């Protein structure tokens, strides 16, 4: 019988910046930012850590790349509905993205504001707001307000007390006899729900946003 052919060796995917950042984000999602080291990343990619420096200049560049990769997932609809509805959809998109990557939220808050990803996100929002009659400066202010609320809410979500923790708080308040209004709020109010709180906040913020000072621009497709 002729010899059986030797199975072909599986070819390793080439090492690229995109592949490095995707793996780094996955590691951060699973194990937290503290566990994200160049050595751990190299092991996850089955390469020597030094090979990574051909594509990222160092840990700071790696973290900036992760931030930009997350920001790139936030969608701002260019069309459909009025500007308030598009802003609501964008804030909801940001909420979903930060929910999917909770370990990266502190990095989003502490990262430089001027990165390729942050510039691209701001440009997407302004491109959707300016045709509604906003000046670029007005649109950028609304963008900053929405960003502040969304990221702050994402951080608070990580500290939302569980129902058990709320019950323990009520028990402690019962024993102390102090803060009666707080106790009543915890007992009579609905269960603390970060998702519901975020939705309520969006409604309040968008309602309070100023109207554009200019006229909406007609669509070029008309």
């Amino acid at each position: 019988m002729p010899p059986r052919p030797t199975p072909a060796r599986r070819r390793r995917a080439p090492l690229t910046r995109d592949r490095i950042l995707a793996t780094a984000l996955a590691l951060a999602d699973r194990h937290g930012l503290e566990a994200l080291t160049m050595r751990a990343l190299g092991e996850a990619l089955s390469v020597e850590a030094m090979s990574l420096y051909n594509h990222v200049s160092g840990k700071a560049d790696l973290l900036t790349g992760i931030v930009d990769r997350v920001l790139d997932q936030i969608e701002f609809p260019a069309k459909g509905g009025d500007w308030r509805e598009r802003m609501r959809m964008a804030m909801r998109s940001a909420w979903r993205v930060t929910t999917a990557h909770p370990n990266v939220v502190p990095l989003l808050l502490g990262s430089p504001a001027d990165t390729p990803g942050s510039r691209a996100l701001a440009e997407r929002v302004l491109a959707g707001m300016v045709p509604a009659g906003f000046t670029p400066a007005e649109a950028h202010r609304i963008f900053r307000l929405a960003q502040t609320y969304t990221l702050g809410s994402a951080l608070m979500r990580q500290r939302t007390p569980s129902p058990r923790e709320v019950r323990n708080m009520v028990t402690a308040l019962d024993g102390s006899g102090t803060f009666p209004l707080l106790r009543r709020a915890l007992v009579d109010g609905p269960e603390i729900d970060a998702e519901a709180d975020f939705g309520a906040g969006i409604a309040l913020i968008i309602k309070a946003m100023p109207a554009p000072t200019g006229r909406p621009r007609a669509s070029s497709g008309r």
Side-chain angles (χ1 to χ4, degrees):
M1 294 181 61
R4 300 180 63 180
T6 304
R9 297 182 65 180
R10 182 178 297 176
R11 298 182 62 182
R12 180 187 300 170
L15 191 62
T16 63
R17 181 179 174 86
D18 186 69
R19 184 173 168 228
I20 289 171
L21 294 179
T23 304
L25 180 56
L27 283 174
D29 287 340
R30 287 197 301 268
H31 305 296
L33 292 172
E34 300 80 6
L36 180 58
T37 64
M38 301 301 274
R39 180 177 178 180
L41 183 56
E43 291 177 353
L45 290 163
S46 300
V47 299
E48 294 293 333
M50 290 302 297
S51 301
L52 303 175
Y53 291 95
N54 294 321
H55 305 276
V56 293
S57 61
K59 184 68 175 289
D61 184 30
L62 180 69
L63 296 180
T64 297
I66 290 176
V67 167
D68 285 355
R69 193 175 184 87
V70 171
L71 292 177
D72 188 55
Q73 298 175 32
I74 299 175
E75 300 175 355
F76 187 94
K79 298 179 181 179
D82 63 10
W83 66 267
R84 288 184 174 86
E85 180 59 25
R86 292 199 298 275
M87 179 58 71
R88 182 181 293 107
M89 293 172 68
M91 293 172 74
R92 282 290 187 187
S93 175
W95 181 257
R96 289 192 296 271
V97 169
T98 56
T99 299
H101 306 288
N103 292 335
V104 183
V105 171
L107 194 59
L108 293 172
L109 288 166
S111 65
D114 189 25
T115 69
S118 63
R119 291 195 294 267
L121 175 59
E123 187 70 16
R124 288 199 300 274
V125 174
L126 269 60
M129 299 286 281
V130 168
F134 290 97
T135 67
E138 290 171 339
H140 193 255
R141 187 182 188 207
I142 290 176
F143 166 68
R144 297 195 307 270
L145 293 173
Q147 186 180 45
T148 298
Y149 172 68
T150 303
L151 288 178
S153 297
L155 188 63
M156 288 292 292
R157 176 183 55 211
Q158 300 181 19
R159 292 161 173 79
T160 300
S162 66
R164 180 178 180 180
E165 289 172 327
V166 172
R167 290 194 297 270
N168 291 340
M169 291 167 61
V170 171
T171 300
L173 292 172
D174 286 340
S176 68
T178 56
F179 309 111
L181 295 179
L182 176 58
R183 180 195 176 281
R184 183 173 177 181
L186 294 175
V187 171
D188 298 343
E191 181 177 308
I192 297 177
D193 183 338
E195 180 82 25
D197 288 351
F198 182 72
I202 285 181
L204 291 172
I205 287 176
I206 291 182
K207 184 178 180 180
M209 285 180 176
T213 59
R215 285 186 173 184
R217 298 179 185 177
S219 171
S220 59
R222 293 181 181 178

